[in-house]
Amino acid sequence: MINIVSEHSTEAVLQVRDLTFRYGSTPVLSELSLDLYRDDVLLLTGASGAGKSTLLRVLARLLEPESGTVLLNGQPREDIDPTRYRRRVAYLQQQPVMVSGSVRENLLLSFRFGSAEPPSRELLGEMLDRTALSGVSLEQSAAELSVGQQQRIALLRLLLMEPEVLLLDEPTASLDDEAARLLMESVAAAREQADRAVLLVSHNDGGASDVLSPRRAVLRSGHVEEAS
Amino acid sequence: MTGAMDIGIPQLLIALLFIVTAGVASLRLRLGLERDLLWGTLRTVAQLVLMGFVLIYVFQLRQWYLIVGLYTVMILFAAWIIRGRVRSTSVSYFLPTFMSMAVSYLVINVLVVAVIVQADPWYLPKYFIPLGGMIIGNSMNAIAIALDRLFSDLIGKRARIELLISLGATAREASAEVYRDAIRAGMIPSINAMMGVGVVFIPGMMTGQIIAGSDPLVAVKYQIVVMLMLVGSTALGSLLVISLVRRRCFSADHRLTIRERSS
Protein backbone atom coordinates (compact mmCIF):
# COMPACT_ATOMS: atom_id res chain seq x y z
CA MET A 1 0.00 0.00 0.00
CA ILE A 2 1.37 3.38 -0.95
CA ASN A 3 0.03 5.87 1.49
CA ILE A 4 -0.12 9.40 0.24
CA VAL A 5 0.74 11.22 3.43
CA SER A 6 2.33 14.64 3.45
CA GLU A 7 4.35 16.30 6.19
CA HIS A 8 1.23 17.85 7.65
CA SER A 9 1.30 17.79 11.39
CA THR A 10 -2.47 18.01 11.73
CA GLU A 11 -4.72 14.99 11.69
CA ALA A 12 -6.26 14.01 8.38
CA VAL A 13 -9.71 15.39 7.64
CA LEU A 14 -10.43 12.57 5.25
CA GLN A 15 -8.76 9.19 5.64
CA VAL A 16 -9.29 6.66 2.91
CA ARG A 17 -8.16 3.09 3.50
CA ASP A 18 -8.10 0.07 1.19
CA LEU A 19 -10.86 1.34 -1.02
CA THR A 20 -11.89 -1.18 -3.68
CA PHE A 21 -14.49 -0.54 -6.32
CA ARG A 22 -15.47 -2.41 -9.46
CA TYR A 23 -17.98 -1.85 -12.22
CA GLY A 24 -19.42 -5.34 -12.65
CA SER A 25 -16.33 -7.49 -12.89
CA THR A 26 -14.01 -4.66 -13.99
CA PRO A 27 -11.82 -3.46 -11.12
CA VAL A 28 -11.45 0.31 -11.02
CA LEU A 29 -10.06 1.11 -7.55
CA SER A 30 -7.92 -1.46 -5.87
CA GLU A 31 -7.19 -1.15 -2.14
CA LEU A 32 -6.62 2.56 -2.61
CA SER A 33 -5.53 4.65 0.36
CA LEU A 34 -4.91 8.34 0.80
CA ASP A 35 -5.08 11.06 3.43
CA LEU A 36 -6.35 14.57 3.00
CA TYR A 37 -5.47 17.26 5.51
CA ARG A 38 -6.86 20.59 6.55
CA ASP A 39 -5.58 23.34 4.24
CA ASP A 40 -4.29 20.65 1.92
CA VAL A 41 -4.62 20.44 -1.85
CA LEU A 42 -3.99 17.11 -3.51
CA LEU A 43 -3.90 17.05 -7.29
CA LEU A 44 -4.60 13.53 -8.54
CA THR A 45 -3.81 12.98 -12.19
CA GLY A 46 -4.13 9.87 -14.28
CA ALA A 47 -4.99 8.62 -17.71
CA SER A 48 -8.51 8.72 -19.00
CA GLY A 49 -10.42 5.78 -17.51
CA ALA A 50 -7.98 5.41 -14.60
CA GLY A 51 -10.85 5.80 -12.14
CA LYS A 52 -10.36 9.41 -11.05
CA SER A 53 -14.00 10.39 -11.32
CA THR A 54 -15.06 7.07 -9.80
CA LEU A 55 -12.86 7.78 -6.77
CA LEU A 56 -14.47 11.18 -6.26
CA ARG A 57 -17.95 9.74 -6.69
CA VAL A 58 -17.16 7.08 -4.10
CA LEU A 59 -15.83 9.72 -1.72
CA ALA A 60 -18.91 11.87 -2.38
CA ARG A 61 -21.01 8.85 -1.47
CA LEU A 62 -22.64 8.66 -4.87
CA LEU A 63 -21.16 5.19 -5.39
CA GLU A 64 -20.74 2.47 -2.81
CA PRO A 65 -17.31 0.80 -2.65
CA GLU A 66 -16.98 -2.95 -2.46
CA SER A 67 -14.70 -2.65 0.54
CA GLY A 68 -12.58 -0.15 2.42
CA THR A 69 -13.15 2.61 4.91
CA VAL A 70 -13.54 6.37 4.72
CA LEU A 71 -13.12 8.39 7.92
CA LEU A 72 -14.21 12.00 8.17
CA ASN A 73 -12.35 13.62 11.07
CA GLY A 74 -11.78 10.14 12.44
CA GLN A 75 -15.42 9.12 12.28
CA PRO A 76 -16.48 6.27 9.96
CA ARG A 77 -18.70 7.79 7.35
CA GLU A 78 -21.32 5.07 7.85
CA ASP A 79 -21.89 6.63 11.28
CA ILE A 80 -22.66 10.02 9.76
CA ASP A 81 -26.08 10.86 8.34
CA PRO A 82 -25.53 10.62 4.55
CA THR A 83 -27.12 13.96 3.72
CA ARG A 84 -25.00 15.60 6.43
CA TYR A 85 -21.86 13.86 5.15
CA ARG A 86 -22.46 15.16 1.63
CA ARG A 87 -22.71 18.71 2.92
CA ARG A 88 -19.37 18.31 4.68
CA VAL A 89 -17.64 16.58 1.76
CA ALA A 90 -18.83 18.62 -1.20
CA TYR A 91 -18.56 17.34 -4.75
CA LEU A 92 -18.22 19.54 -7.84
CA GLN A 93 -19.32 17.78 -11.02
CA GLN A 94 -17.21 17.92 -14.15
CA GLN A 95 -19.90 19.76 -16.12
CA PRO A 96 -21.74 22.43 -14.20
CA VAL A 97 -25.41 21.53 -13.78
CA MET A 98 -27.73 24.49 -13.37
CA VAL A 99 -31.37 24.05 -12.46
CA SER A 100 -33.84 26.24 -14.33
CA GLY A 101 -34.20 29.56 -12.61
CA SER A 102 -32.10 32.51 -11.57
CA VAL A 103 -28.48 32.63 -10.40
CA ARG A 104 -29.81 33.25 -6.91
CA GLU A 105 -32.05 30.16 -7.00
CA ASN A 106 -29.08 28.10 -8.10
CA LEU A 107 -26.84 29.49 -5.39
CA LEU A 108 -29.43 28.77 -2.71
CA LEU A 109 -30.29 25.27 -3.93
CA SER A 110 -28.84 23.47 -0.89
CA PHE A 111 -30.97 25.59 1.45
CA ARG A 112 -34.07 23.85 0.10
CA PHE A 113 -32.91 20.69 1.82
CA GLY A 114 -31.67 21.90 5.17
CA SER A 115 -32.82 24.00 8.03
CA ALA A 116 -30.08 26.65 7.72
CA GLU A 117 -31.07 30.23 7.03
CA PRO A 118 -30.13 31.32 3.50
CA PRO A 119 -27.64 34.18 3.27
CA SER A 120 -28.79 37.67 2.46
CA ARG A 121 -28.86 39.13 -1.01
CA GLU A 122 -26.00 41.46 -0.07
CA LEU A 123 -23.78 38.59 1.01
CA LEU A 124 -24.50 36.69 -2.20
CA GLY A 125 -23.64 39.81 -4.19
CA GLU A 126 -20.32 40.11 -2.36
CA MET A 127 -19.57 36.47 -3.07
CA LEU A 128 -20.17 37.02 -6.76
CA ASP A 129 -17.84 40.02 -6.72
CA ARG A 130 -15.11 38.04 -5.00
CA THR A 131 -15.40 35.28 -7.59
CA ALA A 132 -14.94 37.59 -10.58
CA LEU A 133 -18.66 37.41 -11.28
CA SER A 134 -19.35 41.06 -10.64
CA GLY A 135 -21.07 41.41 -14.02
CA VAL A 136 -23.53 38.69 -13.15
CA SER A 137 -26.89 39.63 -11.66
CA LEU A 138 -28.48 37.44 -8.99
CA GLU A 139 -31.78 37.61 -10.83
CA GLN A 140 -30.59 36.68 -14.30
CA SER A 141 -31.20 33.21 -15.65
CA ALA A 142 -28.36 30.82 -14.82
CA ALA A 143 -28.77 29.24 -18.25
CA GLU A 144 -27.57 32.47 -19.87
CA LEU A 145 -24.13 32.26 -18.24
CA SER A 146 -21.00 30.93 -19.92
CA VAL A 147 -19.77 27.49 -18.86
CA GLY A 148 -16.93 29.10 -16.93
CA GLN A 149 -19.32 31.35 -15.04
CA GLN A 150 -21.66 28.43 -14.36
CA GLN A 151 -18.78 26.41 -12.96
CA ARG A 152 -17.90 29.24 -10.56
CA ILE A 153 -21.56 29.53 -9.55
CA ALA A 154 -21.54 25.76 -8.94
CA LEU A 155 -18.46 26.16 -6.73
CA LEU A 156 -20.06 29.01 -4.77
CA ARG A 157 -23.16 26.88 -4.36
CA LEU A 158 -21.04 24.23 -2.65
CA LEU A 159 -19.16 26.76 -0.51
CA LEU A 160 -22.44 28.04 0.89
CA MET A 161 -22.77 24.64 2.60
CA GLU A 162 -19.47 25.41 4.36
CA PRO A 163 -17.93 22.03 3.58
CA GLU A 164 -14.73 20.76 5.16
CA VAL A 165 -13.60 18.95 2.03
CA LEU A 166 -13.94 19.93 -1.61
CA LEU A 167 -13.91 17.19 -4.24
CA LEU A 168 -13.34 18.70 -7.67
CA ASP A 169 -13.89 16.46 -10.68
CA GLU A 170 -11.92 17.87 -13.63
CA PRO A 171 -13.62 21.21 -13.11
CA THR A 172 -11.61 22.98 -15.80
CA ALA A 173 -12.03 20.29 -18.48
CA SER A 174 -14.40 22.34 -20.59
CA LEU A 175 -13.04 25.79 -19.72
CA ASP A 176 -10.62 28.02 -21.62
CA ASP A 177 -7.38 29.08 -19.91
CA GLU A 178 -8.76 32.31 -18.50
CA ALA A 179 -11.93 30.69 -17.13
CA ALA A 180 -9.81 27.86 -15.67
CA ARG A 181 -7.53 30.38 -13.92
CA LEU A 182 -10.48 32.27 -12.46
CA LEU A 183 -11.97 29.03 -11.15
CA MET A 184 -8.68 27.95 -9.59
CA GLU A 185 -8.36 31.35 -7.90
CA SER A 186 -11.82 30.85 -6.44
CA VAL A 187 -10.78 27.42 -5.19
CA ALA A 188 -7.62 28.91 -3.64
CA ALA A 189 -9.70 31.59 -1.89
CA ALA A 190 -12.15 28.97 -0.63
CA ARG A 191 -9.31 26.90 0.77
CA GLU A 192 -7.67 29.80 2.56
CA GLN A 193 -10.92 31.11 3.90
CA ALA A 194 -11.65 28.03 6.02
CA ASP A 195 -8.55 25.79 5.84
CA ARG A 196 -10.46 23.46 3.58
CA ALA A 197 -9.03 20.28 2.19
CA VAL A 198 -9.22 20.03 -1.59
CA LEU A 199 -8.97 16.90 -3.70
CA LEU A 200 -8.71 17.82 -7.36
CA VAL A 201 -8.65 15.21 -10.08
CA SER A 202 -7.62 16.04 -13.61
CA HIS A 203 -6.13 14.25 -16.58
CA ASN A 204 -3.53 17.01 -16.66
CA ASP A 205 -2.58 19.90 -14.45
CA GLY A 206 -5.90 21.60 -15.05
CA GLY A 207 -4.37 25.00 -14.33
CA ALA A 208 -3.93 24.13 -10.66
CA SER A 209 -0.15 24.39 -10.29
CA ASP A 210 0.24 28.13 -10.63
CA VAL A 211 -2.49 29.01 -8.22
CA LEU A 212 -2.79 26.19 -5.69
CA SER A 213 0.72 24.69 -5.30
CA PRO A 214 -0.78 21.27 -4.73
CA ARG A 215 0.68 17.98 -3.59
CA ARG A 216 0.65 15.62 -6.51
CA ALA A 217 -0.21 12.00 -6.97
CA VAL A 218 -1.07 9.73 -9.84
CA LEU A 219 -3.90 7.23 -10.05
CA ARG A 220 -2.65 4.15 -11.87
CA SER A 221 -4.04 0.61 -11.94
CA GLY A 222 -6.48 1.49 -9.22
CA HIS A 223 -3.78 2.68 -6.79
CA VAL A 224 -2.59 6.12 -5.81
CA GLU A 225 1.12 6.60 -6.40
CA GLU A 226 3.24 9.58 -5.49
CA ALA A 227 4.01 11.66 -8.52
CA SER A 228 7.58 11.45 -9.66
CA MET B 1 -83.54 -4.92 -22.45
CA THR B 2 -84.16 -6.76 -25.69
CA GLY B 3 -80.57 -7.96 -26.21
CA ALA B 4 -78.34 -7.36 -29.21
CA MET B 5 -78.97 -9.00 -32.58
CA ASP B 6 -76.87 -12.10 -32.99
CA ILE B 7 -74.16 -12.18 -35.65
CA GLY B 8 -74.04 -15.32 -37.80
CA ILE B 9 -70.77 -17.14 -38.54
CA PRO B 10 -70.82 -16.17 -42.29
CA GLN B 11 -71.27 -12.54 -41.29
CA LEU B 12 -68.44 -12.85 -38.78
CA LEU B 13 -66.22 -14.12 -41.58
CA ILE B 14 -67.05 -11.03 -43.62
CA ALA B 15 -65.41 -9.00 -40.85
CA LEU B 16 -62.18 -10.74 -41.81
CA LEU B 17 -62.21 -8.57 -44.94
CA PHE B 18 -60.98 -5.72 -42.74
CA ILE B 19 -57.88 -7.73 -41.92
CA VAL B 20 -57.44 -8.75 -45.55
CA THR B 21 -57.50 -5.06 -46.47
CA ALA B 22 -54.86 -4.27 -43.88
CA GLY B 23 -52.80 -7.28 -45.05
CA VAL B 24 -52.91 -6.15 -48.68
CA ALA B 25 -51.83 -2.66 -47.63
CA SER B 26 -48.98 -4.17 -45.64
CA LEU B 27 -47.83 -6.24 -48.61
CA ARG B 28 -48.12 -3.42 -51.12
CA LEU B 29 -46.36 -0.88 -48.91
CA ARG B 30 -43.87 -3.44 -47.55
CA LEU B 31 -44.82 -2.67 -43.97
CA GLY B 32 -43.86 -6.18 -42.88
CA LEU B 33 -46.94 -6.46 -40.67
CA GLU B 34 -48.56 -9.53 -42.32
CA ARG B 35 -47.38 -12.00 -39.69
CA ASP B 36 -48.43 -9.71 -36.84
CA LEU B 37 -51.82 -9.16 -38.45
CA LEU B 38 -52.39 -12.89 -38.87
CA TRP B 39 -51.17 -13.72 -35.37
CA GLY B 40 -53.14 -10.83 -33.89
CA THR B 41 -56.33 -11.94 -35.63
CA LEU B 42 -55.94 -15.53 -34.47
CA ARG B 43 -55.27 -14.43 -30.90
CA THR B 44 -58.20 -12.01 -30.91
CA VAL B 45 -60.61 -14.70 -32.06
CA ALA B 46 -59.21 -17.42 -29.79
CA GLN B 47 -58.90 -15.25 -26.68
CA LEU B 48 -62.35 -13.73 -27.04
CA VAL B 49 -64.08 -17.05 -27.75
CA LEU B 50 -62.34 -18.55 -24.75
CA MET B 51 -63.30 -15.53 -22.69
CA GLY B 52 -66.94 -15.93 -23.77
CA PHE B 53 -67.05 -19.48 -22.45
CA VAL B 54 -65.20 -18.53 -19.27
CA LEU B 55 -67.61 -15.67 -18.64
CA ILE B 56 -70.64 -17.93 -19.05
CA TYR B 57 -69.17 -20.07 -16.28
CA VAL B 58 -67.92 -17.20 -14.15
CA PHE B 59 -71.23 -15.35 -14.21
CA GLN B 60 -72.81 -18.32 -12.46
CA LEU B 61 -70.33 -18.27 -9.59
CA ARG B 62 -71.59 -17.12 -6.22
CA GLN B 63 -68.43 -17.46 -4.11
CA TRP B 64 -66.81 -14.09 -3.45
CA TYR B 65 -63.34 -15.58 -3.05
CA LEU B 66 -63.47 -17.17 -6.49
CA ILE B 67 -64.44 -13.86 -8.08
CA VAL B 68 -61.78 -11.91 -6.18
CA GLY B 69 -59.28 -14.68 -6.96
CA LEU B 70 -60.08 -14.50 -10.67
CA TYR B 71 -59.77 -10.73 -10.56
CA THR B 72 -56.38 -11.03 -8.86
CA VAL B 73 -55.20 -13.41 -11.59
CA MET B 74 -56.30 -10.86 -14.22
CA ILE B 75 -54.25 -8.21 -12.40
CA LEU B 76 -51.31 -10.60 -12.26
CA PHE B 77 -51.42 -10.96 -16.05
CA ALA B 78 -51.63 -7.18 -16.45
CA ALA B 79 -48.57 -6.71 -14.25
CA TRP B 80 -46.82 -9.31 -16.38
CA ILE B 81 -47.72 -7.46 -19.59
CA ILE B 82 -46.36 -4.21 -18.12
CA ARG B 83 -42.95 -5.88 -17.79
CA GLY B 84 -42.72 -6.07 -21.55
CA ARG B 85 -43.60 -2.44 -22.09
CA VAL B 86 -41.21 -0.75 -19.70
CA ARG B 87 -37.53 -0.23 -20.45
CA SER B 88 -35.25 -2.74 -18.86
CA THR B 89 -33.33 -1.51 -15.84
CA SER B 90 -31.56 -2.92 -12.82
CA VAL B 91 -34.65 -2.28 -10.71
CA SER B 92 -37.10 -5.12 -10.17
CA TYR B 93 -40.60 -3.75 -10.04
CA PHE B 94 -42.93 -6.67 -10.73
CA LEU B 95 -43.97 -7.36 -7.14
CA PRO B 96 -44.59 -3.75 -6.05
CA THR B 97 -46.45 -3.15 -9.31
CA PHE B 98 -48.68 -6.17 -8.83
CA MET B 99 -49.32 -5.39 -5.17
CA SER B 100 -50.19 -1.75 -5.86
CA MET B 101 -52.47 -2.69 -8.74
CA ALA B 102 -54.21 -5.39 -6.71
CA VAL B 103 -54.89 -3.12 -3.74
CA SER B 104 -55.99 -0.03 -5.65
CA TYR B 105 -58.09 -1.86 -8.25
CA LEU B 106 -59.85 -4.01 -5.66
CA VAL B 107 -60.76 -0.98 -3.57
CA ILE B 108 -62.07 0.97 -6.55
CA ASN B 109 -63.92 -1.96 -8.08
CA VAL B 110 -65.66 -2.83 -4.81
CA LEU B 111 -66.60 0.81 -4.37
CA VAL B 112 -68.07 1.02 -7.87
CA VAL B 113 -69.93 -2.32 -7.85
CA ALA B 114 -71.17 -2.28 -4.26
CA VAL B 115 -71.72 1.41 -3.52
CA ILE B 116 -72.39 3.11 -6.86
CA VAL B 117 -74.03 0.36 -8.96
CA GLN B 118 -75.37 -1.20 -5.73
CA ALA B 119 -75.12 -4.73 -7.06
CA ASP B 120 -76.19 -7.46 -4.70
CA PRO B 121 -74.06 -9.30 -3.70
CA TRP B 122 -71.15 -6.82 -3.88
CA TYR B 123 -69.10 -9.23 -5.99
CA LEU B 124 -71.87 -9.97 -8.52
CA PRO B 125 -69.63 -11.30 -11.31
CA LYS B 126 -71.70 -9.84 -14.16
CA TYR B 127 -70.63 -6.39 -12.92
CA PHE B 128 -67.48 -7.09 -10.95
CA ILE B 129 -65.50 -8.82 -13.70
CA PRO B 130 -66.29 -6.59 -16.74
CA LEU B 131 -65.93 -3.35 -14.78
CA GLY B 132 -62.79 -4.66 -13.14
CA GLY B 133 -61.47 -5.62 -16.55
CA MET B 134 -61.96 -2.06 -17.77
CA ILE B 135 -60.08 -0.73 -14.77
CA ILE B 136 -57.18 -3.10 -15.39
CA GLY B 137 -57.03 -2.53 -19.13
CA ASN B 138 -56.93 1.25 -18.92
CA SER B 139 -54.86 1.63 -15.82
CA MET B 140 -52.33 -0.93 -17.00
CA ASN B 141 -51.38 1.43 -19.82
CA ALA B 142 -51.14 4.33 -17.40
CA ILE B 143 -48.84 2.41 -15.09
CA ALA B 144 -46.65 1.25 -17.97
CA ILE B 145 -46.32 4.86 -19.18
CA ALA B 146 -45.63 6.16 -15.66
CA LEU B 147 -43.02 3.49 -14.92
CA ASP B 148 -41.26 3.99 -18.23
CA ARG B 149 -41.20 7.74 -17.64
CA LEU B 150 -39.88 7.27 -14.10
CA PHE B 151 -37.04 5.06 -15.27
CA SER B 152 -36.12 7.13 -18.32
CA ASP B 153 -36.08 10.36 -16.27
CA LEU B 154 -34.08 8.88 -13.40
CA ILE B 155 -31.49 7.65 -15.89
CA GLY B 156 -31.61 10.67 -18.22
CA LYS B 157 -31.52 13.25 -15.43
CA ARG B 158 -28.90 11.48 -13.36
CA ALA B 159 -26.55 14.51 -13.32
CA ARG B 160 -29.28 16.78 -11.98
CA ILE B 161 -30.49 14.27 -9.40
CA GLU B 162 -26.94 13.61 -8.21
CA LEU B 163 -26.36 17.35 -7.99
CA LEU B 164 -29.30 17.66 -5.60
CA ILE B 165 -28.10 14.65 -3.61
CA SER B 166 -24.63 16.22 -3.40
CA LEU B 167 -26.28 19.34 -2.01
CA GLY B 168 -27.81 17.38 0.86
CA ALA B 169 -31.12 16.32 -0.66
CA THR B 170 -32.73 13.04 0.31
CA ALA B 171 -33.71 10.59 -2.42
CA ARG B 172 -37.29 11.77 -2.12
CA GLU B 173 -36.33 15.43 -2.44
CA ALA B 174 -33.92 14.83 -5.31
CA SER B 175 -36.51 12.90 -7.32
CA ALA B 176 -39.59 14.97 -6.48
CA GLU B 177 -39.86 16.45 -9.96
CA VAL B 178 -39.28 13.13 -11.70
CA TYR B 179 -41.89 11.52 -9.45
CA ARG B 180 -44.51 14.13 -10.29
CA ASP B 181 -43.75 13.98 -14.02
CA ALA B 182 -44.09 10.18 -14.04
CA ILE B 183 -47.50 10.19 -12.33
CA ARG B 184 -48.67 13.05 -14.53
CA ALA B 185 -47.58 11.19 -17.68
CA GLY B 186 -49.58 8.17 -16.57
CA MET B 187 -52.71 10.18 -15.80
CA ILE B 188 -52.86 12.42 -18.86
CA PRO B 189 -54.38 9.84 -21.27
CA SER B 190 -57.35 9.14 -18.98
CA ILE B 191 -57.88 12.87 -18.43
CA ASN B 192 -57.70 13.45 -22.19
CA ALA B 193 -60.28 10.71 -22.63
CA MET B 194 -62.65 12.63 -20.36
CA MET B 195 -62.28 15.66 -22.63
CA GLY B 196 -63.17 13.79 -25.80
CA VAL B 197 -65.80 11.38 -24.57
CA GLY B 198 -69.24 11.83 -26.13
CA VAL B 199 -67.89 14.39 -28.59
CA VAL B 200 -64.97 12.76 -30.33
CA PHE B 201 -65.95 9.17 -29.64
CA ILE B 202 -68.67 7.03 -28.11
CA PRO B 203 -66.99 4.76 -25.62
CA GLY B 204 -67.04 1.01 -26.02
CA MET B 205 -69.07 0.26 -22.94
CA MET B 206 -71.82 2.70 -23.82
CA THR B 207 -71.88 1.45 -27.40
CA GLY B 208 -72.24 -2.09 -26.11
CA GLN B 209 -75.08 -1.22 -23.76
CA ILE B 210 -76.97 0.70 -26.43
CA ILE B 211 -76.61 -2.10 -28.96
CA ALA B 212 -77.73 -4.53 -26.27
CA GLY B 213 -80.90 -2.50 -25.94
CA SER B 214 -80.27 -0.36 -22.87
CA ASP B 215 -81.84 3.04 -22.47
CA PRO B 216 -79.13 5.45 -23.73
CA LEU B 217 -79.51 7.54 -20.56
CA VAL B 218 -78.80 4.50 -18.40
CA ALA B 219 -75.82 3.74 -20.64
CA VAL B 220 -74.67 7.33 -20.18
CA LYS B 221 -74.80 7.05 -16.38
CA TYR B 222 -72.73 3.90 -16.49
CA GLN B 223 -70.27 5.53 -18.81
CA ILE B 224 -69.90 8.54 -16.52
CA VAL B 225 -69.14 6.21 -13.62
CA VAL B 226 -66.67 4.30 -15.79
CA MET B 227 -64.82 7.43 -16.93
CA LEU B 228 -64.50 8.75 -13.38
CA MET B 229 -63.56 5.31 -12.11
CA LEU B 230 -60.80 5.06 -14.72
CA VAL B 231 -59.31 8.40 -13.72
CA GLY B 232 -59.43 7.34 -10.08
CA SER B 233 -57.86 3.95 -10.67
CA THR B 234 -55.22 5.45 -12.93
CA ALA B 235 -54.32 8.03 -10.31
CA LEU B 236 -54.32 5.66 -7.36
CA GLY B 237 -52.55 2.85 -9.25
CA SER B 238 -49.84 5.12 -10.67
CA LEU B 239 -49.34 6.86 -7.34
CA LEU B 240 -48.86 3.63 -5.42
CA VAL B 241 -46.69 1.95 -8.04
CA ILE B 242 -44.43 4.95 -8.61
CA SER B 243 -44.09 5.60 -4.86
CA LEU B 244 -43.04 2.01 -4.18
CA VAL B 245 -40.81 1.60 -7.23
CA ARG B 246 -39.06 4.95 -6.76
CA ARG B 247 -37.75 3.73 -3.41
CA ARG B 248 -36.16 0.79 -5.16
CA CYS B 249 -34.20 3.10 -7.45
CA PHE B 250 -32.22 4.54 -4.52
CA SER B 251 -30.19 3.00 -1.72
CA ALA B 252 -30.91 3.60 1.94
CA ASP B 253 -28.20 6.28 1.95
CA HIS B 254 -29.94 8.12 -0.92
CA ARG B 255 -27.64 7.01 -3.75
CA LEU B 256 -29.27 6.71 -7.15
CA THR B 257 -28.68 3.04 -7.86
CA ILE B 258 -30.81 2.41 -10.96
CA ARG B 259 -28.84 1.32 -14.03
CA GLU B 260 -29.97 0.82 -17.59
CA ARG B 261 -29.77 -2.71 -18.95
CA SER B 262 -28.53 -2.99 -22.50
CA SER B 263 -30.47 -6.15 -23.26
Side-chain angles (χ1 to χ4, degrees), chain B residues 96-163:
Chain B
T97 302
F98 168 63
M99 297 298 287
S100 312
M101 288 167 81
V103 169
S104 53
Y105 298 175
L106 270 171
V107 167
I108 287 178
N109 204 11
V110 168
L111 195 70
V112 169
V113 176
V115 180
I116 298 176
V117 178
Q118 297 200 328
D120 186 25
W122 60 266
Y123 54 86
L124 195 64
K126 190 176 145 188
Y127 291 91
F128 199 90
I129 295 299
L131 286 169
M134 292 184 76
I135 292 177
I136 297 172
N138 281 273
S139 190
M140 178 178 81
N141 292 330
I143 287 175
I145 291 169
L147 273 174
D148 198 60
R149 179 66 182 265
L150 176 77
F151 291 156
S152 64
D153 276 5
L154 285 178
I155 289 167
K157 296 182 178 175
R158 177 177 290 276
R160 185 184 189 281
I161 292 166
E162 290 192 337
L163 164 72

Side-chain angles (χ1 to χ4, degrees), chain B residues 17-32:
Chain B
L17 279 175
F18 300 126
I19 296 299
V20 173
T21 313
V24 169
S26 173
L27 276 172
R28 281 282 171 92
L29 299 172
R30 296 183 187 163
L31 303 179

Side-chain angles (χ1 to χ4, degrees), chain A residues 59-120:
Chain A
L59 295 181
R61 229 171 152 170
L62 294 172
L63 292 173
E64 182 69 4
E66 191 178 290
S67 60
T69 55
V70 177
L71 304 179
L72 179 60
N73 286 320
Q75 192 179 14
R77 72 170 177 178
E78 290 71 25
D79 295 349
I80 305 170
D81 174 75
T83 59
R84 181 93 193 92
Y85 172 89
R86 293 186 183 106
R87 288 168 177 273
R88 293 169 67 186
V89 181
Y91 169 66
L92 185 68
Q93 293 164 304
Q94 190 169 343
Q95 298 289 338
V97 178
M98 295 286 116
V99 298
S100 59
S102 67
V103 168
R104 185 164 173 273
E105 283 170 273
N106 271 276
L107 285 171
L108 297 182
L109 207 48
S110 68
F111 292 88
R112 282 194 208 168
F113 314 122
S115 53
E117 275 292 306
S120 67

